[in-house]
Amino acid sequence: MINPDYGSLIDLLPTESNQMTTSAIDTNWMQQAIEIAQQGLGNVEPNPMVGCVIANQEQLLAQGYHEQFGQAHAEVNALASVPSDADLSQASMYVTLEPCCHHGKTPPCTTAIINAGIKRVVVATTDPNGQVNGGGIELLKAAGIEVLLGICEPQANSLIAPYFNATQNKRPWIIAKWAMTLDGKIATTTGSSQWISNAESRAVVHQLRGRMDAILVGHKTAICDNPQLTARPTETTAKRQAIRVVLAQTPTLHLDSHLVCSADEIPVIVTAGPAADSDHCQQLIDNGVEILAFDDNQGIIDGLLSVLYQRQVTNLLVEGGSQLLGSLFDRQLIDEVHVFIAPSLIGGTSAPAPLGGCGIEKMSNALKLTNPQFKTLGDNIYISGRTKRE
């Protein structure tokens, strides 16, 4: 599976050495823990991806990762894989995130670690969750376990960025996606947009959708494109289906649209402002659509993001249109970008570009991508990366 968000971490793995220092050994195993943690992508949210390795110097004893939300954490899975004759008193545990110390859907990992007899735990980064946030480390130290903190911390923080964002900012991690022509258009002057990208690019989009909690489009996009917003499964994609969301002030979504017709199978949420037609909203409700009503049009975006956060939506994919993406851009809410560029030209002054809104005034203030990834998908160019404001 193409995974631009975390694929660059693969390049961080060190080359093998017959004589490795303790520091190099710690780094090596932690990078392996980061690598295996990514196998939980799309399955563990709203929890973070976490990986764990148990080793005695250069000898690997066991490893595990958080595989599914609500199920055992990485540390417990790793401990369950330890050979029965292994002596853990001389081993180190490497875990990408501070072990939990509270009862949630599973018992605290700190208890499992202490009971296992491990005497040294290497932690990449602390857990920002207020129920942990250093408490897990303190419990391990109180039990006489040596704790080393901060090995590969930047990579580990990158791994849990959506989780950290939800914890700190109380909103989903917002991922903007669009396909555009070489002259920067996402549709013609008449609104035609299917298909700008090729089949290979669309397959990657289904991979993205297959690890999302929710997918958001603007009302005009929902009307003009009549999208399904589903992750069509292949051999490598579609771990789950995301909630479909339409941002509207006065929704007029057709009752025979793909979204409405499938609302009973995959949830659909439509926002509505104070001027919305109550009769049409009721018809949507009767067809299985959830209506989120707001008293103020200006507060719809903030209100929607708040509701999605409360419903444990960690990753939100925004697929357009120009007005919605521009509004999120102007408010500095876009955290990650995935763009598919086709070698075609359509022209037209009124043909929409990806980002509407007010935009920036100076190039020096342009929103930049950190460590952008570039891939060729047939005749399309795929660019992705996380955003960074200087």
Side-chain angles (χ1 to χ4, degrees), residues 253 255 260 277-289:
L253 200 60
L255 299 182
V260 175
D277 183 335
S278 58
D279 290 337
H280 186 73
C281 286
Q282 186 58 54
Q283 288 180 313
L284 291 174
I285 292 172
D286 293 341
N287 281 272
V289 174

Side-chain angles (χ1 to χ4, degrees), residues 186-196 220-221 223-226 346 350-352:
I186 61 171
T188 67
T189 56
T190 63
S192 174
S193 63
Q194 296 178 338
W195 298 98
I196 290 176
K220 184 177 179 181
T221 297
I223 297 293
C224 295
D225 291 355
N226 189 23
I346 57 177
S350 61

Side-chain angles (χ1 to χ4, degrees), residues 178-189 192 196 339-355:
W178 65 82
M180 68 181 186
T181 59
L182 199 57
D183 54 340
K185 306 295 185 179
I186 61 171
T188 67
T189 56
S192 174
I196 290 176
V339 180
F340 302 86
I341 305 173
S344 55
L345 304 167
I346 57 177
T349 302
S350 61
L355 300 178

Side-chain angles (χ1 to χ4, degrees), residues 124-139:
T125 191
T126 55
D127 190 335
N129 186 331
Q131 293 181 294
V132 186
N133 198 19
I137 292 173
E138 291 305 315
L139 275 177

Side-chain angles (χ1 to χ4, degrees), residues 5-6 8-10 12 26-27 29-38 47-52 94-99 122-128 148-165 173 386:
D5 307 327
Y6 305 100
S8 60
L9 295 178
I10 297 173
L12 297 173
D26 288 343
T27 300
W29 291 127
M30 187 61 76
Q31 288 173 341
Q32 182 162 324
I34 289 171
E35 196 69 19
I36 63 173
Q38 298 170 51
N47 285 351
M49 292 181 286
V50 181
C52 179
Y94 299 87
V95 60
T96 59
L97 185 67
E98 175 184 7
V122 182
V123 178
T125 191
T126 55
D127 190 335
L148 177 62
L149 176 65
I151 297 294
C152 300
E153 184 175 16
Q155 299 98 304
N157 285 338
S158 178
L159 189 69
I160 66 165
Y163 169 73
F164 181 87
N165 167 76
W173 180 264
R386 292 177 175 178

Side-chain angles (χ1 to χ4, degrees), residues 311-323:
R311 297 187 184 184
Q312 296 187 317
V313 170
T314 302
N315 291 296
L316 173 64
L317 181 65
V318 182
E319 297 201 20
S322 176
Q323 183 178 350

Side-chain angles (χ1 to χ4, degrees), residues 93-318:
M93 172 180 280
Y94 299 87
V95 60
T96 59
L97 185 67
E98 175 184 7
C100 66
C101 54
H102 66 287
H103 282 271
K105 290 186 176 294
T106 60
C109 290
T110 49
T111 301
I113 295 169
I114 293 168
N115 291 341
I118 290 177
K119 299 302 181 185
R120 183 173 185 263
V121 176
V122 182
V123 178
T125 191
T126 55
D127 190 335
N129 186 331
Q131 293 181 294
V132 186
N133 198 19
I137 292 173
E138 291 305 315
L139 275 177
L140 294 177
K141 288 182 177 179
I145 296 174
E146 176 191 352
V147 179
L148 177 62
L149 176 65
I151 297 294
C152 300
E153 184 175 16
Q155 299 98 304
N157 285 338
S158 178
L159 189 69
I160 66 165
Y163 169 73
F164 181 87
N165 167 76
T167 303
Q168 300 300 309
N169 298 324
K170 311 301 183 187
R171 67 165 177 83
W173 180 264
I174 297 177
I175 302 168
K177 166 264 165 183
W178 65 82
M180 68 181 186
T181 59
L182 199 57
D183 54 340
K185 306 295 185 179
I186 61 171
T188 67
T189 56
T190 63
S192 174
S193 63
Q194 296 178 338
W195 298 98
I196 290 176
S197 60
N198 63 22
E200 293 172 77
S201 292
R202 295 196 295 274
V204 174
V205 171
H206 288 302
Q207 291 179 9
L208 283 171
R209 289 178 178 175
R211 65 175 181 82
M212 293 296 121
D213 302 300
I215 302 171
L216 172 65
V217 295
H219 186 238
K220 184 177 179 181
T221 297
I223 297 293
C224 295
D225 291 355
N226 189 23
Q228 298 181 55
L229 301 182
T230 55
R232 263 79 87 190
T234 68
E235 293 180 356
T236 59
T237 66
K239 296 182 178 181
R240 57 180 172 174
Q241 296 291 355
I243 300 168
R244 285 89 53 82
V245 187
V246 178
L247 187 78
Q249 296 180 1
T250 54
T252 58
L253 200 60
H254 302 311
L255 299 182
D256 61 352
S257 65
H258 290 312
L259 290 173
V260 175
C261 289
S262 60
D264 286 335
E265 301 173 10
I266 307 171
V268 175
I269 297 173
V270 177
T271 66
D277 183 335
S278 58
D279 290 337
H280 186 73
C281 286
Q282 186 58 54
Q283 288 180 313
L284 291 174
I285 292 172
D286 293 341
N287 281 272
V289 174
E290 178 183 358
I291 297 293
L292 286 181
F294 295 92
D295 296 330
D296 177 12
N297 287 333
Q298 300 303 313
I300 290 180
I301 289 182
D302 286 339
L304 173 62
L305 293 179
S306 178
V307 169
L308 293 178
Y309 164 75
Q310 293 168 16
R311 297 187 184 184
Q312 296 187 317
V313 170
T314 302
N315 291 296
L316 173 64
L317 181 65
V318 182

Side-chain angles (χ1 to χ4, degrees), residues 49-69:
M49 292 181 286
V50 181
C52 179
V53 168
I54 301 174
N56 189 344
Q57 293 298 309
E58 296 182 53
Q59 179 188 5
L60 175 66
L61 298 178
Q63 61 185 24
Y65 67 97
H66 185 29
E67 300 177 10
Q68 190 79 38
F69 175 69

